[in-house]
Amino acid sequence: MALCRPPWPAPVPLPPSHLTSVQLRGQRTLAAGPFTAAPNGVRRARALDEDRLLEVEWGDGGKSLYPFTWLRDNCPCPLCTLQSAQARCLPLCRLDVHTGIDAVRVADDKVSIIWPDKHTSEFDPEWLRKRCFSSASRRAMREELFLNERVYWDSKLCVPTADFQEILRDDRAALAWLLALRRVGIVHVKGAPVVQGQVTRLSERIGYPRLTFYGHTWQVRDKPMANNVAYTSGALSLHTDYPALHNPPGVQFLHCLSGAQEGGESLAVDGFHAAEQLQREDPEAFRSLTSTRVDFTDTGRDYCDFAVQSKNRVIDVDHEGRVSRINYNNATRDSVLDLPVGQVQPFYRALKAYVEIMNRPQNVAVYRMEPGDVVTFDNHRVLHGRRSYVNGPGAVRHLEGAYLDWDEVMSRLRVLRRSVRGSGGK
Ligand code: OGA
Ligand code: NM2
Ligand code: ZN
Ligand code: ZN
């Protein structure tokens, strides 16, 4: 699996340290120059006092603008930043949001600013460049931090695989696993020992599992008096787990410990891709599912007794209208339907249209889990299901599952990226 490339070029060494330019308050021209700077180095910096912006001109000729207020707010000096926590200790009540600048100079590889109260801030050019406010720079930073670009797939998906022991042992393997989990949404981890506890080990490679009413981890088996349809031998239609919570688990692990005598094949669908097809083919249904809040319910006893209720949109979109989360489990969709009576039929029509698209054979990836396989997937994106099964003597189907949240998974991904890059990787 290809590793992530940084969206901006690797840092270029800056020119030798010497005073390169000076600007005093109100002056429109530079005191020093001309000089050369490396492409990512600072050629010039000047205060545009009218607009209260610092203009930085880079070695490659590009320019960036930084509001004075933002610069003062982010002063990295030990009075303004608790360096051991990399956290701001300058309170907002001490921030003058209309501050001017007394002087700017570029020296010793730093952009130095003297503020009207003589406080001084020194900014690292590379740090500034990453925080440029242009829309292209902000997009690059967004992708670097959140990796929101996905690769959509259908039934022909060749599910990415990773090796269990390698993930535990090797940072590069762990990073490749998490990058594929984020971009593709599903990765088969192979070679786990066939005993309980492996989804916990995998969660602890990242951080910690997410506790729910079904426990720290949970056993998917055909159980008498099952408190969930998953704990029967019946088929599970395509669903995401736990839409009865307002914050459903972001990531799910399912470890196969034992297969059935017959049946029990697994199904997976890219819910974002299916939602995009719905938007194209039936915009009215898409509008309905992205706006109607549907009631979900889950009542019973497991880790302790519970009575969970939620209202979720089947298709969540972000502030730019892009699909961001699927919330759908037909088993826990409540009979309470909080809609004016005239909207009930249109809602069912819309839901049916989405379910028909997700179930198209060209959208459904089918696979069979073998003991030692762990399927890891994005529970906000991938709808999953299973065919019904029949247990036999010595063939009792058993999966162990665990949930995690994306914040913790993304945190591990960023930490791994740093350590892999630091050791000379890309
Ligand atoms: C579940 C589930 C899949 C399976 O437990 O929620 O989707 O293959 N299980 O049993
Ligand atoms: N289990 C597998 O939404 C759901 O009820 C999903 C959760 C029981 C933990 C099933
Ligand atoms: Zn400071
Ligand atoms: Zn499930």
Side-chain angles (χ1 to χ4, degrees):
M1 278 174 288
L3 297 186
C4 178
R5 281 168 164 281
W8 45 77
V12 174
L14 291 165
S17 63
H18 60 279
L19 188 74
T20 47
S21 72
V22 174
Q23 191 207 15
L24 293 175
R25 195 177 200 178
Q27 255 178 252
R28 312 312 301 168
T29 52
L30 296 172
F35 57 92
T36 52
N40 285 351
V42 177
R43 182 182 290 167
R44 244 190 302 270
R46 59 178 184 139
L48 309 176
D49 293 315
E50 303 272 272
D51 301 320
R52 289 211 207 87
L53 295 170
L54 177 80
E55 184 192 73
V56 173
E57 189 181 329
W58 303 100
D60 63 8
K63 287 181 180 167
S64 299
L65 296 171
Y66 302 95
F68 291 173
T69 310
W70 176 83
L71 289 162
R72 182 63 194 88
D73 185 40
N74 292 290
C75 172
C77 89
L79 292 174
C80 301
T81 301
L82 173 62
Q83 276 157 345
S84 56
Q86 280 301 298
R88 183 179 300 104
C89 48
L90 177 75
L92 207 65
C93 62
R94 286 195 27 228
L95 177 71
D96 175 3
V97 299
H98 303 294
T99 187
I101 277 182
D102 254 17
V104 182
R105 52 184 211 146
V106 181
D108 291 340
D109 264 13
K110 298 274 184 198
V111 177
S112 303
I113 295 173
I114 304 174
W115 301 99
D117 63 359
K118 305 305 170 207
H119 188 84
T120 303
S121 304
E122 285 201 331
F123 296 97
D124 170 51
E126 197 191 329
W127 182 96
L128 280 173
R129 201 171 161 94
K130 283 187 172 189
R131 287 160 181 77
C132 167
F133 286 87
S134 74
S135 97
S137 295
R138 287 185 293 116
R139 192 176 326 112
M141 186 51 119
R142 216 178 296 140
E143 187 54 20
E144 164 90 357
L145 292 176
F146 299 104
L147 286 165
N148 277 330
E149 270 167 35
R150 304 321 216 277
V151 181
Y152 286 2
W153 47 268
D154 59 18
S155 65
K156 295 194 290 295
L157 172 73
C158 181
V159 179
T161 61
D163 181 78
F164 183 85
Q165 301 295 349
E166 239 172 65
I167 283 175
L168 293 188
R169 191 177 53 226
D170 178 40
D171 282 356
R172 282 165 197 275
L175 176 60
W177 166 46
L178 297 183
L179 282 170
L181 182 62
R182 183 69 178 174
R183 293 225 171 100
V184 182
I186 182 166
V187 178
H188 284 163
V189 176
K190 305 255 176 190
V194 186
V195 287
Q196 271 181 236
Q198 307 315 305
V199 289
T200 304
R201 288 176 77 195
L202 223 41
S203 316
E204 287 174 350
R205 178 69 168 102
I206 290 168
Y208 39 81
R210 164 143 173 217
L211 177 60
T212 69
F213 285 121
Y214 290 97
H216 294 276
T217 71
W218 26 272
Q219 311 308 315
V220 182
R221 278 189 283 232
D222 186 10
K223 302 174 190 177
M225 296 296 290
N227 63 2
N228 192 284
V229 294
Y231 300 159
T232 67
S233 60
L236 295 180
S237 60
L238 291 168
H239 66 283
T240 58
D241 269 24
Y242 238 146
L245 297 174
H246 286 112
N247 174 27
V251 169
Q252 181 168 170
F253 296 165
L254 282 171
H255 177 206
C256 178
L257 292 154
S258 160
Q261 180 178 296
E262 214 188 297
E265 296 86 352
S266 304
L267 317 169
V269 168
D270 183 346
F272 287 7
H273 190 196
E276 190 192 72
Q277 293 169 57
L278 181 71
Q279 183 171 26
R280 213 174 26 240
E281 296 175 22
D282 192 341
E284 187 50 48
F286 183 81
R287 250 191 309 280
S288 167
L289 297 187
T290 52
S291 58
T292 309
R293 281 155 31 105
V294 179
D295 286 84
F296 291 90
T297 182
D298 197 20
T299 294
R301 170 184 294 275
D302 201 308
Y303 184 76
C304 63
D305 47 348
F306 56 85
V308 177
Q309 293 289 148
S310 72
K311 287 184 185 289
N312 273 316
R313 295 171 181 86
V314 171
I315 302 173
D316 270 329
V317 292
D318 66 15
H319 60 287
E320 287 172 307
R322 281 183 306 241
V323 178
S324 57
R325 194 172 87 190
I326 307 300
N327 307 289
Y328 179 63
N329 185 340
N330 206 48
T332 59
R333 186 165 50 75
D334 204 344
S335 50
V336 170
L337 185 51
D338 189 4
L339 290 179
V341 72
Q343 286 176 30
V344 172
Q345 193 59 26
F347 163 71
Y348 276 100
R349 190 201 73 78
L351 185 58
K352 188 93 180 179
Y354 184 44
V355 170
E356 265 169 19
I357 290 174
M358 68 175 79
N359 277 291
R360 285 177 187 161
Q362 64 263 36
N363 280 332
V364 186
V366 184
Y367 56 92
R368 171 176 279 288
M369 289 193 78
E370 304 291 346
D373 292 354
V374 188
V375 61
T376 63
F377 60 92
D378 182 346
N379 187 57
H380 287 171
R381 169 178 171 192
V382 176
L383 294 139
H384 62 286
R386 71 153 185 245
R387 296 192 176 139
S388 65
Y389 62 88
V390 182
N391 285 334
V396 177
R397 193 175 188 275
H398 178 197
L399 311 183
E400 185 178 30
Y403 297 125
L404 283 90
D405 278 319
W406 269 114
D407 281 330
E408 287 75 9
V409 177
M410 291 304 293
S411 162
R412 177 57 54 203
L413 197 152
R414 294 183 199 105
V415 170
L416 287 168
R417 198 166 46 184
R418 231 186 295 138
S419 70
V420 166
R421 273 186 198 162
S423 70
K426 269 276 160 188

